[in-house]
Amino acid sequence: MIEIGAGVDETGRLLRDEAGFLLQRDLGGTWRLVLLRVPVDHVEKRVRVRGYYAGDDIVQADGVAAA
């Protein structure tokens, strides 16, 4: 189990829903992303997300880039 505040560097598929953005992780499971910028060019594509785990399957993302 990952601890709150731990660094995150994950790959997966970027999804969008009515509440925002999700990362469908390559390792399994889904994380909700808190983003400062809207990465519309990467929706439905494989991406790499870096940031910090905030708890309750939420990641404060510093960046989203093509994987």
Side-chain angles (χ1 to χ4, degrees), residues 37-55:
R37 293 191 216 172
V38 179
V40 293
D41 294 344
H42 298 302
V43 174
E44 296 294 330
K45 296 178 182 171
R46 192 161 181 276
V47 297
R48 180 179 186 181
V49 173
R50 292 182 179 174
Y52 298 91
Y53 187 70

Side-chain angles (χ1 to χ4, degrees), residues 26-38:
D26 287 345
L27 298 175
T30 303
W31 282 345
R32 171 129 341 253
L33 302 177
V34 177
L35 300 161
L36 296 178
R37 293 191 216 172
V38 179

